[in-house]
Amino acid sequence: MSMGLEDVIAAETRLSAVDGAKGALIIKGYALDQIAGQKSFEAVARLLFTGLLDNLPDESAFAGHLGRARADAFALVQYIDAGILALPPMDGMRALIARIEDGEDIETTLRLLAAPAVLLPAILRHQRGLDPIAPTHGLGHAADMLHMLTGQMTSPEVAGALDTYLVTVADHGLNASTFAARVVASTWSGLTSSVLAGLAALKGPLHGGAPGPIIAMLDGIGQPDNAEAWIEAALARGDRLMGFGHRIYKVRDPRADALKAAVKRMSAGANMLPGRLKLAEAVETAALRILQAHRPDRPLDVNVEFYTALLLEALGFPADAFTAVFATGRTAGWLAHAREQRLTGRLIRPQSSYVGPEPAVAA
Ligand code: ACO
């Protein structure tokens, strides 16, 4: 038995490989640094879907089809009501995505891939008392999402930073949310159900829910000189430092560097708070030193979520929406894994070891 299924191989995949010892991520034959900042989110999503779906649009047409799917997804905005707005954005978005009919075809796939980029900005604008903005024909997925959020056309550097982010998080082996999506796919439930399972698993703070609390940590620390004392106190309370540690990586998560580079590239054109990057770097240095002393037996390095927090904050997303932006990228991976599971896998049904009481034996 392995409680957290550590080291258990439960699927064969052609989609991505995570090398935890080397700190490397391969997506369909490309190293992360060959695609992050190099290929668009649309191109990477299509790459993941290749071989898994009938009638997949060709490379030149895929972005247009996804754009039309965003326009279709905008119809769901009418269901944003007080109940949806009372929920955290991730839960509100999940409730709206649940309205998409289950299916296994390319139309369902594109609708599900498009939906988060449309629904999240609409929810956030509603929360601020603003009208939602419809998708704009011809914009890329990342640029359109930012336009729907802010109402302004963003510079190519800023749209490029979100695009790099979406690509960086698009797929990552058999992580908890992808496993959840594959378990549901293995019952032949349908792609909407798989995406809902992925959303539900992603939102926890041990998985995709970490970047919001990272902003709270940076705000709590305030300035670089306070980092050591704040971190020591947090660990003394038994808290985990959000943005550090990983089940698979025993070295630095390669996605952290891809995102740090994206933060640096766009910092001039975005809403980065003065001194934010410097503060984050001081926190990172202090945290690595203190974690090493705290747990010499356990390599704990920076993970994807740390620089995600900085990047998404600078792009204008509120901290409680960060996980939903993560989901916007990861939906590509969930959909590809769900299709792969449906086509090549079998029902996932492990066993448990019963440690409860035995029935009383009749006298
Ligand atoms: N801060 C302090 N201590 C930590 C941290 C951390 N960030 N990460 C692990 N540890 C400690 C644990 O408390 C544990 O101590 P224990 O053995 O006394 O209980 C020990 O190191 C081993 O950790 P595990 O729980 O075995 O690590 P696991 O592989 O289960 O968890 C995880 C990995 C969940 C990412 C963990 O490192 C963590 O909680 N990090 C903070 C949350 C976070 O950043 N999540 C985002 C992950 S990236 C992603 O999913 C997209």
Side-chain angles (χ1 to χ4, degrees), residues 2 11 21 34 102 118 152 171 208 255 275 299 302 341 343 354 356-357:
S2 174
Q34 293 175 310
D102 244 326
V118 177
Q152 283 157 17
D171 197 35
R255 299 169 299 173
V302 72
Q341 180 68 36
L343 293 175
Y354 180 67

Side-chain angles (χ1 to χ4, degrees), residues 65-78 80 89 92-93 96-97 100 110-126 131-136 140-150 162 166 317 324-325 327-328 331:
H65 281 268
L66 185 58
R68 279 191 287 284
R70 285 195 300 277
D72 290 346
F74 192 68
L76 292 171
V77 163
Q78 65 179 299
I80 298 177
M93 189 173 93
L96 293 172
I97 290 175
I100 297 175
L110 288 170
R111 213 167 289 145
L112 289 163
L113 186 65
V118 177
L119 299 176
L120 178 63
I123 290 171
L124 296 176
R125 287 182 69 85
H126 262 296
D131 287 335
I133 294 173
T136 302
H141 200 62
D144 204 11
M145 186 177 188
L146 288 172
H147 180 252
M148 287 184 269
L149 178 71
T150 64
L162 180 59
L166 297 177
F317 290 99
V325 190
T328 306
T331 300

Side-chain angles (χ1 to χ4, degrees), residues 6 169 172 175-176 202 204-211 214 235 238-248 250 253 255 291 294-295 297-301 303-306 326 330:
E6 269 136 309
V169 300
H172 198 244
N175 59 85
L202 184 72
L206 297 194
H207 188 10
I214 289 167
L235 292 181
D239 293 354
R240 290 191 181 195
L241 290 185
M242 295 291 133
F244 296 88
H246 196 274
R247 173 60 64 83
I248 307 293
K250 303 302 171 216
D253 182 336
R255 299 169 299 173
L291 283 171
H294 184 70
R295 293 301 304 250
D297 56 318
R298 166 93 189 172
L300 293 169
D301 213 318
N303 67 42
V304 64
E305 303 286 42
F306 193 71
F326 190 156
R330 184 56 58 84

